[in-house]
Amino acid sequence: MKTFSGIPSSSGIAIGKAFLYLEEDFPEIPRYTIRKNQLEAEWTRLLQANGEAAAEIQALYEQASREMSKEQADIFEAHLLMLEDTDFQEQIKERLRANLQNIEWIVWEMSHELALKLAASPDPVFRERAIDISDVSRRLIDKLLSITRFSLADLNQDVILVVHDLLPSNVLNMNKAHVKGLVMDMGSRTSHTAILARAFNIPAVLGLSDITKEIKDGDKLVVNGATGDVIVNPDRLAVIQNEGAINRFRKMNAELLDLRDLPAETLDGHRVSLKANIEVPEEAEQISRYGAEGIGLYRSEFLFLTAGKTADEEEQYRAYSHVLKTVGDLPVTIRTMDVGGDKLLPGLRIDEKNPLLGWRAIRFSLAHPELFKTQLRAILRASMDGNVRIMFPMISGIEELEQALFMLEEARDECRKRGHAFAGHIEVGTMIEIPSAAMTADVLAEQSDFFSIGTNDLIQYTLAADRGNERVNYLAQPAHPAVLRFLRMTIDAAHQRGIQAAMCGELAGDPSLTPLLLGLGLDEFSMTASSIPQVKKIIRGASLEKCRALAGKALSSRSYHQVNSLVETWMAETFPPPRV
Ligand code: PEP
Ligand code: MG
């Protein structure tokens, strides 16, 4: 038995078998000349590989229809159609005859040429086809070379996934029903992979550096997503202790659900609003279970990442409308797409040295007016189905906010011309997640109906510490005096202008810092829905007056160490552990 310690990233405990998933590179494709009398045999090899690949995709299609989303199933359906494309088969046959080269080389060469052509197209729909072509030809070549490969969408038994790194799109597309825990070399609590693990209630420990070298496929693991411990091949006692902890964790969560219908109000009567963050539309069905008063952040970009393509206006409209109808009258804040960084749009490779400082979020949207306005029109149309709010990510200053508002006006005009109705008044908010935005919050407040503070990015940019890099994770301290000053500045600027200050970064769901945020004057806390009861419990047990005093002391502290110890002492005094 061996214990490793990483970054606790999604609470819960999982006990199960390790599945070590290391992505292999594309194989070297053999290239050789064939004789004329081998043509028939090469062609037969292709037909056979085609049949095997089709059977595999058909099975994946059926599994995805049963266990995953329609979008996921649609991708496999499109792959099947490509395999059956007789025109493409004829072209392969012609080149085989003309070039007299082995069939895997011909398939690779032709699909590569086609993918390159499609990837260069200005039309995003064609660019996305490039990815499909590469996927299908890869499967076909694997069959020709008798290579067995594994995709996380194909998981068919319960595992604890052990990986070096995992993109958010991989998390969305893996068969989540069978992923009971996640263990990763890279990443930290605010990386999007961690955010998704929490959204899907998968216990996760990230930032373990080289755990993939320590764990073997099939090892028994205990993953504690609350402490960050990963036990490899635990002894009987460790298993029994952890099984006990799983039961206690379940019981505690069930008890917290009793708070569902009670208001998020302090002992001295100060009321705040607790909302949910969602990444996929299906999550909206869960939020009432935890007593969320609406959706404070819908990360709309995940719609594109799940579908593996740019969703068109109709698809987006259906998704937004579904979310709005699911939550009834409750407000839904749709954040316009925050692509770039670690969330790359399929079919659009952006080659950047520093993606987190690059073409992300509103910068990308403003540079792609067609994509941006398509999304805005879809949101406007959906506004007829509920209480929608719009929010722009990564605003760095007033120029960007004004440009975004201008495009929203254009989208309104386009809806009018096309005869699409939309709500008369829709609140439009600004995310404060770049230091320059916090510093000019007073100016941004003039043009915003509300603020929402994205602490994941605000902390990353304030401390210059990449949120996905476990080596600098120790720097990402929410209680750093610089961060607290930015929070105070932002909240004060909002209140001076008479608008609300919300927070939708992970800090909003951290109960240990709830009193500090209350004291700073935060009006709305938006978080993974399952964190709401814990935060509510703290709010209901605290007084605003005392929280204000705590915030005052924290703001005049010199270091995050000092703030953390202040908060710890305050919490121990206010919420003494029950005597046994
Ligand atoms: C944030 O930065 O805090 C935020 C909520 O946005 P995201 O995590 O999607 O970047
Ligand atoms: Mg952000």
Side-chain angles (χ1 to χ4, degrees), residues 192 297 299 335 343 360 433 454-457 467 504-505:
H192 286 103
L297 167 65
R299 289 183 163 96
R335 193 242 327 252
K343 294 177 287 192
R360 261 191 81 182
E433 48 183 348
T455 47
N456 307 335
D457 279 316
R467 62 196 262 193
C504 59

Side-chain angles (χ1 to χ4, degrees), residues 234-356:
D235 59 21
R236 247 183 79 67
L237 182 64
V239 172
I240 292 169
Q241 281 170 341
N242 277 284
E243 280 168 350
I246 292 177
N247 289 333
R248 284 197 299 282
F249 184 73
R250 282 203 192 118
K251 198 163 158 251
M252 188 188 81
N253 281 343
E255 280 167 11
L256 279 170
L257 290 184
D258 292 345
L259 296 174
R260 194 184 72 171
D261 299 321
L262 298 175
E265 190 173 286
T266 59
L267 295 171
D268 45 357
H270 176 69
R271 179 97 187 241
V272 291
S273 165
L274 300 185
K275 295 201 174 117
N277 290 354
I278 67 164
E279 284 67 41
V280 291
E282 300 83 73
E283 271 183 276
E285 285 143 33
Q286 291 288 320
I287 72 155
S288 61
R289 187 164 174 248
Y290 299 101
E293 297 164 75
I295 293 171
L297 167 65
Y298 172 15
R299 289 183 163 96
S300 66
E301 61 279 5
F302 284 106
L303 189 62
F304 304 95
L305 301 187
T306 313
K309 64 185 182 60
T310 319
D312 64 24
E313 186 176 320
E314 281 312 308
E315 283 169 284
Q316 291 189 57
Y317 164 68
R318 278 200 301 276
Y320 305 149
S321 166
H322 170 79
V323 171
L324 284 156
K325 286 180 182 154
T326 306
V327 304
D329 294 336
L330 297 177
V332 174
T333 314
I334 302 182
R335 193 242 327 252
T336 61
M337 57 185 160
D338 179 359
V339 297
D342 60 349
K343 294 177 287 192
L344 287 185
L345 267 194
L348 192 113
R349 291 248 159 269
I350 309 174
D351 214 2
E352 292 181 312
K353 285 232 167 70
N354 288 307
L356 290 170

Side-chain angles (χ1 to χ4, degrees), residues 471-523:
R471 290 191 195 93
V472 291
N473 179 60
Y474 71 95
L475 285 168
Q477 295 290 341
H480 193 291
V483 176
L484 298 186
R485 288 178 201 191
F486 277 143
L487 299 184
R488 164 48 48 96
M489 238 177 214
T490 307
I491 296 169
D492 283 355
H495 290 171
Q496 266 155 29
R497 193 76 202 173
I499 62 172
Q500 293 228 315
M503 180 181 286
C504 59
E506 297 311 296
L507 174 56
D510 177 353
S512 67
L513 290 173
T514 304
L516 189 51
L517 299 178
L518 275 173
L520 287 169
L522 195 68
D523 303 300

